[in-house]
Amino acid sequence: MGALAILLREIGYDVQGSDASFDPPIGPALEAAGVRCLRGFSAEHITRDLDFIVVGNAIRRDNPEALATAESGVRALSMSGALREFFLTGRRPLVVAGTHGKTTTSAMCAWLLRNAELEPGYFIGGLPKNLPSGAAVGSLRRKIVGSTAPPTPFVVEGDEYDAVYWHKQPKFFDYVGVGDDDVVIVTGVEHDHVDIYPDEKTYVAQFEELARKVPASGLIVCDASQRVAARAIAENAKARVAFYALEGDDTGDITPTWLGAYAPIDLGGMQPFDLFVGGMACGRFTMHTPGAHNVRNAVAALCACADGFGVPVLRARTALASFEGVRRRQDLLGTPGGIRVYDDFAHHPTAVHETLAALRAKHRDGRLWAVFEPRSATACRALHQKAYASAFGAADRVLFAPLGRSNVPEGERLDLELLAQEIGERARAMPSIDSILELLGTEARPGDTIVLLSNGAFGGLHRRLLGRFGP
């Protein structure tokens, strides 16, 4: 919502917005962009002279401003609806969807298209380190020079979570069908967001419908090794499908056109891989973001940008080598006292497993500490109790913070004590964040790597830990 407010300012709108608080970094960024930040929710903030009102999906229908909006008669939009109307219309969308890897893959796509001088707009659910922000309008040249100019790309992270209380459908439905040649990436499909998708069938159905909504002249890029995703796309797509995979993947009866061959991290800490397209070698590629999962993300981005937008593969190779990643994705915060401290957004078992495997491969010396805060609606539930037991296999020590949600029924909660027992003596369920800080401060030593895994603020543990170990 904050990024959308800034984009609306950039195209000339006077914008105000309400929230409980406006903490850094988004609060200062909004104010610097000229957005009026109204603290708290009040019906008085809604006036009939407004052009339109954008309602976020965290807002319930009984919110005082939601009630006032309904009474005002002013046109109301969801965030995804506003993005479609004001920024995707007249552009060529590149929508990145899937359970995992959306943010990094979206950022890679924006970076590759930008370096190819295609002047893309983008809307990403994170802060790419190479780019000034997570969102940009990009070029509107088609509107300036006439309809004969090709539409410029607009990269958007396609979230499957619902759009708004009156439109309980995935946001990514609003991002496709804008033109007749959308490009969509589907990285994989694993049951998530159990608060709105109670079973796997309901969750998968959203991606099946997404495949049906992509126009016949469009392109869908899909990981062939992800059987659920590949089946959902292959059985429902009208558009052309380009499958990708990594060497050694079991892809069933699908032969991927784009293939990445993972290689061990080099002495400089770079992640290399070889790329093959249609069986032809395209050379060795390197990037800063380690791990097989990031090689998958890169192959997907290369396929979408080259096959969908004509970016030369060799030019994309040069750009990929300078891509620095996204904040909160294997984000090295510092090395105080010779101890590496990473921040990562991973909370689904698959994401946890891939992140820890990548960091173990990058840092072979010292112990790898995995410090996990279950915070999302899915992570706090027992749905993945068994999967979590194997997700932490690469870590030498595992610490579990208390559940980040107190509203999950006791019988449905992730059992952290049981999880620690299943992992063994290297794992402990901790009573508090303070106790985690104390244990790490006492037992971590130079050469160790600590990764803090949470999709929330983790009680300020990142800052406190850096301070505990010193400069």
Side-chain angles (χ1 to χ4, degrees):
M1 287 290 282
L4 178 63
I6 293 172
L7 291 188
L8 289 168
R9 282 289 297 152
E10 286 188 27
I11 62 172
Y13 280 96
D14 183 20
V15 183
Q16 67 182 41
S18 303
D19 208 338
S21 63
F22 292 87
D23 298 324
I26 191 61
L30 287 167
E31 292 174 345
V35 176
R36 291 194 303 282
C37 298
L38 307 176
R39 285 163 177 79
F41 296 98
S42 170
E44 295 178 359
H45 295 161
I46 304 300
T47 56
R48 296 181 185 276
D49 61 339
L50 296 171
D51 292 316
F52 58 91
I53 298 166
V54 184
V55 183
N57 75 340
I59 299 299
R60 299 181 182 276
R61 64 177 68 248
D62 60 355
N63 178 284
E65 294 191 21
L67 294 171
T69 295
E71 295 174 359
S72 71
V74 177
R75 189 164 67 109
L77 299 167
S78 66
M79 184 193 77
S80 54
L83 194 63
R84 179 188 182 102
E85 179 173 334
F86 295 102
F87 301 102
L88 294 181
T89 300
R91 309 291 285 275
R92 189 170 178 217
L94 195 173
V95 183
V96 182
T99 309
H100 310 295
K102 293 187 293 294
T103 301
T104 298
T105 307
S106 298
M108 284 179 175
C109 289
W111 183 245
L112 298 182
L113 293 170
R114 192 172 189 238
N115 278 269
E117 299 181 358
L118 295 183
E119 304 175 275
Y122 50 87
F123 194 83
I124 300 166
L127 182 58
K129 295 179 181 179
N130 297 75
L131 301 171
S133 68
V137 174
S139 172
L140 299 172
R141 66 174 182 269
R142 180 174 184 178
K143 295 181 180 179
I144 297 173
V145 301
S147 60
T148 57
T152 51
F154 196 103
V155 181
V156 57
E157 182 174 337
D159 183 10
E160 69 270 26
Y161 209 77
D162 59 355
V164 70
Y165 64 80
W166 70 79
H167 185 58
K168 305 294 282 186
Q169 292 186 327
K171 297 183 190 73
F172 56 43
F173 286 174
D174 281 325
Y175 303 150
V176 294
V178 174
D180 58 5
D181 55 358
D182 303 341
V183 177
V184 174
I185 295 174
V186 179
T187 62
V189 178
E190 285 191 81
H191 188 202
D192 201 359
H193 303 306
V194 297
D195 50 330
I196 59 173
Y197 303 120
D199 52 51
E200 183 181 36
K201 182 178 180 181
T202 307
Y203 184 77
V204 174
Q206 312 310 312
F207 291 88
E208 294 172 341
E209 181 63 18
L210 173 66
R212 290 190 287 269
K213 286 180 176 291
V214 179
S217 299
L219 169 68
I220 302 177
V221 176
C222 182
D223 188 341
S225 73
Q226 300 295 305
R227 294 297 186 88
V228 175
R231 184 170 60 251
I233 300 305
E235 294 179 357
N236 293 279
K238 302 187 299 258
R240 180 168 63 91
V241 180
F243 285 106
Y244 68 94
L246 296 190
E247 185 179 45
D249 282 345
D250 180 3
T251 60
D253 59 357
I254 297 174
T255 300
T257 305
W258 291 71
L259 189 70
Y262 175 85
I265 295 170
D266 63 27
L267 294 177
M270 294 290 282
Q271 173 65 69
F273 67 95
D274 297 314
L275 181 69
F276 300 86
V277 180
M280 296 184 62
C282 297
R284 174 146 290 197
F285 289 62
T286 59
M287 57 185 182
H288 290 278
T289 50
H293 65 301
N294 277 320
V295 174
R296 290 185 189 280
N297 295 338
V299 175
L302 290 165
C303 176
C305 292
D307 200 347
F309 294 88
V311 176
V313 171
L314 294 181
R315 185 165 188 171
R317 179 172 69 176
T318 302
L320 185 65
S322 61
F323 177 72
E324 296 178 5
V326 180
R327 295 195 186 280
R328 303 215 68 194
R329 272 71 175 177
Q330 297 180 25
D331 191 4
L332 181 61
L333 302 179
T335 55
I339 300 170
R340 308 176 196 94
V341 179
Y342 280 89
D343 179 21
D344 198 278
F345 198 76
H347 50 284
H348 188 283
T350 300
V352 170
H353 174 270
E354 295 290 351
T355 296
L356 294 177
L359 290 175
R360 178 76 284 174
K362 184 169 185 176
H363 302 300
R364 297 181 178 88
D365 61 316
R367 294 171 298 175
L368 176 60
W369 295 76
V371 187
F372 180 54
E373 181 189 38
R375 190 174 187 84
S376 71
T378 301
C380 286
R381 286 175 164 82
L383 175 69
H384 296 306
Q385 181 83 39
K386 292 183 179 179
Y388 277 126
S390 59
F392 294 90
D396 299 294
R397 296 290 303 276
V398 182
L399 303 178
F400 295 118
L403 294 183
R405 292 180 181 232
S406 58
N407 60 346
V408 179
E410 187 172 354
E412 298 179 17
R413 293 177 192 171
L414 180 69
D415 188 332
L416 294 172
E417 291 287 352
L418 176 60
L419 183 56
Q421 291 174 19
E422 291 173 340
I423 293 173
E425 60 182 15
R426 62 193 176 93
R428 288 179 61 180
M430 304 297 289
S432 66
I433 291 175
D434 286 344
S435 67
I436 293 174
L437 178 65
E438 185 61 32
L439 188 149
L440 288 172
T442 302
E443 296 191 17
R445 54 181 181 259
D448 285 358
T449 299
I450 300 171
V451 55
L452 305 178
L453 301 158
S454 173
N455 70 334
F458 215 147
L461 183 59
H462 311 79
R463 170 185 50 78
R464 297 169 67 191
L465 198 57
L466 292 172
R468 177 66 180 260
F469 292 133

